[in-house]
Amino acid sequence: MFLNQPRPHNPIVFGPPAKTQWQPVGARSAGQFDYDVIPEPTTWHAIHANVSNADSVWGVAAPMFELDWVAEPAYFIGSGPLLDSQGNLYFSSNFYHGERVDLVAIDAKTGERRWAIPAVGKMSVGGPFILNDPDNPGAQIIYLAGPERIMALRQDGSILWNKATGITVADTRDTDKTKFQNFNYHPATDSLITATKAGGLFAFSRMTGDLIATGQIAGSPAVSTEGTSIPGFIVNKVDPLMDEAFGKTHDGLSLFSSAVNYIYGGGGVVTNYFSIDPTTSRIYIAATAPDAEDGTEDGRSEMGAIYAFNLVDDGNDGLEFKELNRKSFQGGTGATPALSGDGTRVYESDNEGHVIALDHELNEVWRVNVGEPLVGSITVAPDNSELYAVTQNDVFQLIDHGDHGAVAWTAELNGFDGYANVDVQANGLTATATANGVVVMIGGGKDILGRTIMLHVGMGLLDRQTGKLRYFAEGREDSLAMSVVAADGSIYVAHSPLRRAVGKAFYPELTPDVIGGISRFKPIRLDMLARDAICAAGARAANASTLDQVAEAAAVSADSRQIGFLITQAENAIEQAVSDSDMRQGDADSLRALLAQSSASLAAGDLASSAATLSSACEVFD
């Protein structure tokens, strides 16, 4: 593959990473709600991890990992995957080559298919959504939203309910009016909310699937960017390649050009997911502004807007969507609004390079220009007011200082150093904040007119303190989805190869064929995973023990839950590390004893003692 190249192929080798010096300081941002229905953020239960779209999980990602397998390669998957509490993985795909399905469940450890829901009619779901089943503690329910039917399923694939939406459109070509986003959960009404690309709002009962409210966002269709964002000669070269790999869309269109137009927001009112604050149940949606606000009434909008809604009593024993506030801005956005843990901040990115912070009433507090257009939603960590923003080239850490924001670092994306065919490296996905770093995708390839032509792709773990790369492993395929981290530290990538398809079209001999499916990066050196989980739990417990247990009760409660999960992560990793001969039995026994003591102190509310024991366990790895 690397013969006849102008320089040798000598990839950088990543060894075991040193301990990170990052630690939480002060009270975290935390809401006041229970986890009876909303799952703890231990892995991906919604399109951006949780209902507030933080792209942040409580556990550690594996500090060392390698590509394990690729499953279901026939499917182009633009969203997800999601994982449940039993270690099952779920995805939906509207683009495929062969069998048509609306939902596939696979074993997250092996990649073997467990079951699938065949597509019926125009289901075309955006992706699954997972909630706890409050009537069956420990169990979860998977929900699907489609234009004709919505469904609720148990983890074994059995159907709880399967309901017709009752939504009809006179012109069947007007698919924007039935192109549902994924579900989200509205606690105040115990309902499932979804929106269409055309701005329609729908609420369904979580218990029964019955339609209980509808509404409409006031925005107008976006000015289409079709044919302007990607040069035509690229589209003409890539479309046949993608048609061969995945077939055409349901409407007989080429996948590449259709997907690019959707990503750039052509003609839509809503082009991404939305957030719900679990404490107040406020709904935040990024969309277009009403037509007249751009100065020209032409049925199209050149401006973006963020809307705050709630689902309230309509005075007639029913419910209605009520617009509470709206904030319009120059430069549209296709990014999902992300919320702080306590719901007091709404973060958005625009197409002009700004990270925008608003209060919960949508008053702008600050904005920071990172120097180039942002390409994804903002990652919101619960600690230290940390935010992570991504562009086509870089990953930035920003700090919300209250009245202003500032860039703290720009990531070191050097995973492909030494690759013969890599002239430039760039960010590939949204960032995921974990207890031991930031998970990112790095693409490597050629530079053409300032754009990275992606030939290779891999996953990396950044240090939250410095932005330097702690570890990196090459992967198989490009993705438009998220950097998904599982409860066991595994990393999953949904294959949606648009950028690497361009690389394949222009450099066919330098990169493998494009492929669909899901890939897993499995943890290796489980002793390192146990170390990072133990040390992260210890740092969190030490910080939590200094907080006012009454004034900061929500933060302390969330910290205690997270510490408990990190201890469980460490215990599971220790068992595997011994089995893999990466840890001596004597060390494992000592660590288990310390973790048991720490758990007992944590259960008694003695955070200081729990922290001291965890600190001793962390020192075992020195």
Side-chain angles (χ1 to χ4, degrees):
M1 182 176 178
F2 297 101
L3 298 177
N4 303 317
Q5 296 303 314
R7 61 177 183 270
H9 180 60
N10 187 27
I12 185 173
V13 176
F14 287 83
K19 290 180 180 178
T20 176
Q21 299 303 305
W22 180 90
Q23 58 185 351
V25 178
R28 70 192 288 157
S29 178
Q32 298 184 21
F33 59 94
D34 59 42
Y35 292 94
D36 289 346
V37 177
I38 298 172
E40 292 181 340
T42 56
T43 187
W44 244 249
H45 298 107
I47 189 171
H48 287 285
N50 57 11
V51 297
S52 57
N53 292 283
D55 283 295
S56 176
V57 294
W58 280 356
V60 297
M64 299 178 70
F65 46 86
E66 66 184 15
L67 182 63
D68 188 14
W69 45 252
V70 175
E72 305 287 347
Y75 297 100
F76 179 100
I77 305 168
S79 175
L82 306 187
L83 295 109
D84 68 13
S85 57
Q86 296 177 355
N88 303 311
L89 183 149
Y90 305 88
F91 72 85
S92 297
S93 174
N94 292 329
F95 307 112
Y96 55 90
H97 210 320
E99 179 190 13
R100 185 177 172 218
V101 295
D102 280 326
L103 183 68
V104 177
I106 64 176
D107 185 295
K109 287 292 179 65
T110 67
E112 294 296 321
R113 183 183 288 199
R114 298 178 60 244
W115 49 264
I117 300 296
V120 177
K122 298 177 182 178
M123 186 74 173
S124 301
V125 296
F129 177 63
I130 300 175
L131 293 173
N132 294 335
D133 182 355
D135 298 323
N136 296 282
Q140 293 183 316
I141 300 173
I142 302 94
Y143 300 92
L144 290 174
E148 293 183 345
R149 305 196 69 81
I150 58 173
M151 301 176 67
L153 304 101
R154 294 208 178 276
Q155 290 154 290
D156 62 3
S158 59
I159 296 175
L160 280 174
W161 46 256
N162 181 355
K163 295 289 183 73
T165 62
I167 299 166
T168 58
V169 178
D171 186 347
T172 57
R173 295 170 297 177
D174 194 1
T175 57
D176 284 1
K177 292 184 179 180
T178 57
K179 193 182 291 290
F180 277 9
Q181 307 291 354
N182 303 52
F183 275 131
N184 205 336
Y185 180 63
H186 191 260
T189 59
D190 195 25
S191 63
L192 300 165
I193 308 293
T194 188
T196 67
K197 186 179 177 183
L201 298 174
F202 300 87
F204 301 89
S205 166
R206 180 190 64 82
M207 292 287 292
T208 66
D210 293 335
L211 181 65
I212 57 176
T214 62
Q216 178 65 44
I217 298 170
S220 297
V223 173
S224 177
T225 57
E226 186 172 11
T228 60
S229 296
I230 302 293
F233 75 92
I234 293 180
V235 173
N236 294 336
K237 197 171 182 67
V238 178
D239 265 346
L241 185 151
M242 294 295 284
D243 289 349
E244 182 179 356
F246 301 108
K248 292 184 180 293
T249 70
H250 298 314
D251 298 321
L253 304 175
S254 291
L255 171 57
F256 180 75
S257 52
S258 297
V260 166
N261 189 46
Y262 183 81
I263 292 167
Y264 283 94
V269 174
V270 179
T271 58
N272 214 313
Y273 194 42
F274 56 97
S275 298
I276 297 180
D277 176 15
T279 300
T280 65
S281 291
R282 284 194 175 196
I283 307 160
Y284 295 93
I285 304 177
T288 56
D291 177 22
E293 291 193 12
D294 62 10
T296 304
E297 293 193 42
D298 57 2
R300 295 282 175 171
S301 177
E302 298 182 16
M303 296 182 66
I306 299 183
Y307 297 79
F309 286 89
N310 213 333
L311 189 57
V312 299
D313 191 324
D314 65 359
N316 295 304
D317 296 324
L319 296 169
E320 64 178 354
F321 286 97
K322 180 180 180 181
E323 182 183 316
L324 305 176
N325 292 290
R326 179 174 76 239
K327 170 69 176 179
S328 300
F329 53 90
Q330 295 292 333
T333 180
T336 300
L339 310 180
S340 61
D342 60 5
T344 62
R345 277 283 200 268
V346 181
Y347 299 101
E348 185 56 276
S349 62
D350 68 13
N351 295 338
E352 297 182 346
H354 297 103
V355 177
I356 305 170
L358 307 106
D359 66 20
H360 71 285
E361 299 291 351
L362 299 185
N363 299 301
E364 184 172 323
V365 181
W366 56 257
R367 64 172 55 202
V368 170
N369 192 331
V370 299
E372 57 181 313
L374 292 129
V375 294
S377 59
I378 306 302
T379 299
V380 185
D383 310 296
N384 306 352
S385 301
E386 294 173 7
L387 309 171
Y388 297 91
V390 298
T391 67
Q392 289 183 344
N393 296 310
D394 292 310
V395 178
F396 301 93
Q397 185 195 68
L398 294 89
I399 305 298
D400 185 342
H401 292 285
D403 62 347
H404 71 285
V407 175
W409 50 248
T410 303
E412 176 185 78
L413 303 178
N414 63 337
F416 286 110
D417 280 5
Y419 270 65
N421 293 322
V422 173
D423 299 329
V424 62
Q425 300 177 63
N427 170 64
L429 269 182
T430 54
T432 293
T434 72
N436 66 332
V438 182
V439 176
V440 296
M441 173 180 278
I442 301 173
K446 304 293 186 181
D447 183 289
I448 296 182
L449 301 176
R451 295 291 185 95
T452 298
I453 303 301
M454 189 181 290
L455 303 178
H456 304 279
V457 64
M459 300 304 293
L461 179 66
L462 303 174
D463 192 294
R464 283 174 69 167
Q465 186 78 10
T466 65
K468 294 187 178 300
L469 197 59
R470 298 185 69 204
Y471 197 77
F472 176 81
E474 186 174 3
R476 180 61 179 86
E477 193 52 89
D478 176 25
S479 178
L480 301 175
M482 289 72 65
S483 305
V484 174
V485 178
D488 69 350
S490 298
I491 299 169
Y492 293 90
V493 174
H495 291 184
S496 33
L498 292 187
R499 293 163 298 183
R500 209 178 63 77
V502 177
K504 181 65 178 178
F506 283 86
Y507 297 93
E509 74 285 359
L510 298 182
T511 188
D513 291 342
V514 296
I515 187 174
I518 301 287
S519 58
R520 181 197 185 212
F521 291 78
K522 72 176 182 179
I524 57 176
R525 286 292 304 271
L526 275 294
D527 57 326
M528 294 288 97
L529 196 156
R531 179 201 68 182
D532 277 17
I534 288 169
C535 296
R540 185 163 298 281
N543 179 66
S545 68
T546 67
L547 302 179
D548 186 313
Q549 305 294 294
V550 176
E552 304 292 353
V556 172
S557 175
D559 277 335
S560 296
R561 285 178 175 270
Q562 184 172 356
I563 293 164
F565 176 70
L566 287 165
I567 289 173
T568 298
Q569 255 197 327
E571 290 171 338
N572 293 337
I574 288 168
E575 180 178 351
Q576 187 62 47
V578 172
S579 177
D580 294 344
S581 300
D582 288 327
M583 183 181 289
R584 294 178 300 182
Q585 187 65 55
D587 289 337
D589 292 341
S590 297
L591 287 168
R592 287 194 185 99
L594 290 169
L595 292 178
Q597 293 177 40
S598 180
S599 293
S601 297
L602 184 66
D606 187 351
L607 285 165
S609 294
S610 182
T613 310
L614 287 166
S615 177
S616 297
C618 182
E619 291 171 1
V620 170
F621 296 93
D622 291 339

